[in-house]
Amino acid sequence: MLKLKDIKKDYTVGDSTVHALKGVNLEFRETEFVAILGHSGCGKTTLIRALCGLIKPDKGSIYIADQLVFSDEKRVNIAPERRGVGVVFQDYAVWPHLSVWDNVCYPMKKHKVPKEEIAKRASYALEQVRMSGYEKHMPAQLSGGQQQRVAIARSLVSSDELIVLDEPI
């Protein structure tokens, strides 16, 4: 389902190099729930950002559902929106100018999902996170926990395959 092979990522900070990821090898099967734990600065977020395509690793390969989405050797780097990964970021990344409904529907609209299907999937996702009835609310009207649930609902409609949560609790 998900395979990361020899993922390396370095950052230059001033005159020094920080090795954020040093040859990470991970493999996860379908239906597995996995938590990656570690101290602050150990590379958890960098790993997630590389998996999602938000940063480009220096080396390695990434497969999602047997599809190669990144390889430095083969010069493959599939765009984030084409990787089929639902993501909940540390800060939730709920768009402040969009209502709850529009935040949840946005990824499906980008992928040109039919309107009837958008309504069905968005309603179901909001029901799952207990946010039904808040569709017209703006993020500023919500608590932090409610914003988090909107972000989770958006990730649920973004991918049927893989959902990644970066420090969700």
Side-chain angles (χ1 to χ4, degrees), residues 69-144:
V69 297
F70 175 80
S71 171
D72 66 306
E73 186 177 303
K74 295 181 180 180
R75 295 178 174 238
V76 172
N77 192 14
I78 303 296
E81 64 273 12
R82 293 185 47 228
R83 291 190 183 199
V85 179
V87 185
V88 178
F89 296 98
Q90 287 181 25
D91 63 357
Y92 316 135
V94 177
W95 292 291
H97 64 290
L98 297 179
S99 68
V100 166
W101 181 258
D102 290 334
N103 261 284
V104 174
C105 294
Y106 182 81
M108 294 183 288
K109 288 179 181 177
K110 284 292 278 183
H111 287 100
K112 297 181 176 29
V113 173
K115 287 182 181 181
E116 304 79 35
E117 182 70 13
I118 289 174
K120 179 181 166 187
R121 288 172 59 187
S123 292
Y124 183 71
L126 287 169
E127 182 181 312
Q128 293 302 299
V129 297
R130 294 183 171 54
M131 288 298 291
S132 296
Y134 289 88
E135 291 85 353
K136 294 181 181 178
H137 285 70
M138 299 302 285
Q141 298 172 297
L142 304 175
S143 70

Side-chain angles (χ1 to χ4, degrees), residues 39-87:
H39 61 83
S40 181
C42 74
K44 300 179 301 291
T45 296
T46 300
L47 183 67
I48 288 170
R49 292 176 62 77
L51 166 64
C52 295
L54 301 174
I55 61 168
K56 182 180 172 190
D58 300 322
K59 186 174 185 236
S61 58
I62 301 171
Y63 292 84
I64 299 174
D66 295 325
Q67 179 190 7
L68 180 65
V69 297
F70 175 80
S71 171
D72 66 306
E73 186 177 303
K74 295 181 180 180
R75 295 178 174 238
V76 172
N77 192 14
I78 303 296
E81 64 273 12
R82 293 185 47 228
R83 291 190 183 199
V85 179
V87 185

